[in-house]
Amino acid sequence: MYNSKIIGLGYYVPENVVTNDDLAQVMDTNDAWIQERTGIKERRHVIRGEDTTTTMGVKAAQIAIDRAGIAKDDIDFIVFATLSPDYYFPGPGVLVQRDLGIKTVGALDVRNQCSGFIYALSVADQYIKSGMYRNVLVIGSELHSHGLDMTTRGRAVSVIFGDGAGAAILTREEDTDKGILSTHLHSEGQHAEELSLIAPGMGKRWVTDIINDDDPNDESYYPYMNGQFVFKNAVVRFSEVILEGLAANNLSPKDINLLVPHQANLRISQFIQKKFDLSDDQVYNNIMKYGNTTAASIPIALTEAWEEAKVNEGDLVVLAAFGSGFTWGSAIIRW
Ligand code: UT7
């Protein structure tokens, strides 16, 4: 038996900073509301034509590969998590394989939104634990800004989300007390539509409807979120899945060196911090700078924490996420 461990991390965010005041120029919102309800001060938006979900993922991956000290041809498998793929199909995994010039290894796309990176990590971990692969590239990348309703109608969603990408290289670890100790995944499809983007799925319309649809009032082309309902579920599920992961390893919240929660809302992170009696140093947040970048938020935050020397050998690092699906999960890591 093996474990898997992270040996390289990287992130990329577009240069274009969009502040809360910038958003107030195009919709009825304000800096005070956004900061008070979400903690967000600014986010990054791709300037049209400069990046895609794939190109951001490639840039983050290149940094992770360099830091891991491996060659591209050492990568045995690619897992790519996103809710904002470049194409309806094929998914961005194969585009990364092509753009990075990696040999013809398998490439898997994960569609689990805010918990996409945890799901992707879990898949990579299992392949390595089973001995099937040695080095796996895991990417979370999102280009939200091109798909948001940037009018007052969409303000409850559009002020929250931002663009960016993060990546990790996982490799085989012979010491099973180190690396990813366990991952824990859940779903509750009963609430699928509470945080969703219905179009352009094939469930409700024919492609000719999409081509001919010029109805400016059709909101199904934009993401929908029942904010308060999602918030209430998030705080419960975050707590549950962190405790589940710790208990599976005979650990408790006091053993956590660093919790890197999915950056959904600063208020959610603060709720968890208080509930588990963690100090500011034990919880990493960067939603203030980037907003909610969905599948990219954990790898971006983990990379920044690592760059700031907040992740050290022997530390217990806990990753946790909750989001659309609903899906949620955690990863318990001994660094
Ligand atoms: O990443 C996946 C998981 N996501 C989450 O976990 C997010 C969970 N939910 C949330 O973070 C919060 O529910 C939001 C930040 C989305 C919204 O905060 P809220 O405190 O739940 O606000 P609300 O939706 O209840 O809206 C309160 C008021 C409404 O006005 P009225 O009806 O009270 O007059 C909204 O119309 O705030 C208004 N509002 C805004 N005002 C200014 C909504 N969006 C905005 C805005 N600027 N951007």
Side-chain angles (χ1 to χ4, degrees), residues 258-261 263 280 282-286 301 304-305 308 310:
L258 191 70
L259 170 65
V260 182
Q263 303 291 294
D280 289 349
Q282 287 171 289
V283 184
Y284 194 83
N285 289 303
N286 62 6
E304 282 201 333
E308 292 167 23
K310 290 186 169 152

Side-chain angles (χ1 to χ4, degrees), residues 13-325:
V13 289
E15 274 179 26
N16 180 36
V17 176
V18 176
T19 65
N20 294 342
D21 287 338
D22 292 334
L23 293 178
Q25 304 289 315
V26 295
M27 64 182 79
D28 181 12
T29 190
N30 57 78
D31 179 54
W33 190 97
I34 300 172
Q35 283 210 51
E36 190 188 311
R37 307 276 177 141
T38 71
I40 299 166
K41 297 182 180 183
E42 58 190 42
R43 73 286 292 143
R44 306 297 178 95
H45 283 180
V46 166
I47 291 173
R48 192 171 182 156
E50 289 193 356
D51 263 313
T52 68
T53 294
T54 299
T55 65
M56 290 192 289
V58 164
K59 288 171 189 172
Q62 188 61 66
I63 296 167
I65 293 166
D66 292 345
R67 285 175 172 168
I70 63 166
K72 279 182 290 196
D73 277 343
D74 294 330
I75 293 169
D76 301 310
F77 196 66
I78 300 164
V79 192
F80 198 123
T82 189
L83 63 69
S84 49
D86 296 13
Y87 305 145
Y88 194 79
F89 73 84
V94 298
L95 305 181
V96 166
Q97 180 272 330
R98 177 184 69 190
D99 293 356
L100 277 175
I102 296 172
K103 61 184 192 290
T104 56
V105 300
L108 177 73
D109 298 293
V110 166
R111 294 295 309 274
N112 287 79
Q113 300 70 247
C114 298
S115 40
F117 188 77
I118 302 269
Y119 269 76
L121 206 65
S122 179
V123 169
D125 177 51
Q126 295 306 312
Y127 275 130
I128 291 172
K129 277 198 166 96
S130 71
M132 184 162 172
Y133 297 129
R134 184 179 284 270
N135 297 309
V136 181
L137 167 60
V138 181
I139 300 172
S141 180
E142 301 290 359
L143 202 171
H144 282 298
S145 59
H146 291 9
L148 297 173
D149 179 358
M150 299 299 279
T151 69
T152 298
R153 184 182 62 182
R155 65 183 180 175
V157 169
S158 301
V159 301
I160 294 171
F161 293 98
D163 303 338
I169 298 288
L170 269 69
T171 198
R172 182 183 289 177
E173 167 63 59
E174 312 259 339
D175 181 349
T176 52
D177 292 329
K178 283 189 181 165
I180 297 180
L181 303 180
S182 61
T183 55
H184 307 267
L185 307 177
H186 294 277
S187 71
E188 190 176 24
Q190 183 189 347
H191 304 306
E193 285 79 19
E194 302 293 350
L195 176 45
S196 59
L197 175 56
I198 301 301
M202 294 297 160
K204 293 249 162 78
R205 27 165 76 82
W206 290 47
V207 70
T208 43
D209 294 342
I210 299 171
I211 292 165
N212 298 327
D213 194 348
D214 55 0
D215 176 5
N217 296 316
D218 186 347
E219 294 179 37
S220 65
Y221 286 108
Y222 296 116
Y224 165 77
M225 175 161 67
N226 182 350
Q228 291 196 4
F229 184 73
V230 174
F231 192 104
K232 283 178 194 151
N233 278 269
V235 291
V236 172
R237 298 307 194 183
F238 262 108
S239 306
E240 277 178 9
V241 82
I242 291 167
L243 287 176
E244 178 189 348
L246 291 169
N249 295 284
N250 296 316
L251 297 164
S252 73
K254 65 176 169 30
D255 296 311
I256 296 174
N257 294 104
L258 191 70
L259 170 65
V260 182
H262 161 54
Q263 303 291 294
N265 184 322
L266 190 60
R267 306 295 161 241
I268 294 175
S269 296
Q270 288 168 335
F271 179 93
I272 306 298
Q273 177 175 342
K274 199 167 166 208
K275 180 166 177 155
F276 292 151
D277 197 22
L278 301 172
S279 68
D280 289 349
D281 284 346
Q282 287 171 289
V283 184
Y284 194 83
N285 289 303
N286 62 6
I287 191 170
M288 305 74 85
K289 295 189 290 182
Y290 305 127
N292 178 345
T293 58
T294 315
S297 93
I298 288 180
I300 294 174
L302 185 59
T303 306
E304 282 201 333
W306 177 82
E307 288 175 352
E308 292 167 23
K310 290 186 169 152
V311 182
N312 296 297
E313 177 112 24
D315 282 354
L316 186 76
V317 178
V318 175
L319 313 180
F322 173 89
S324 164

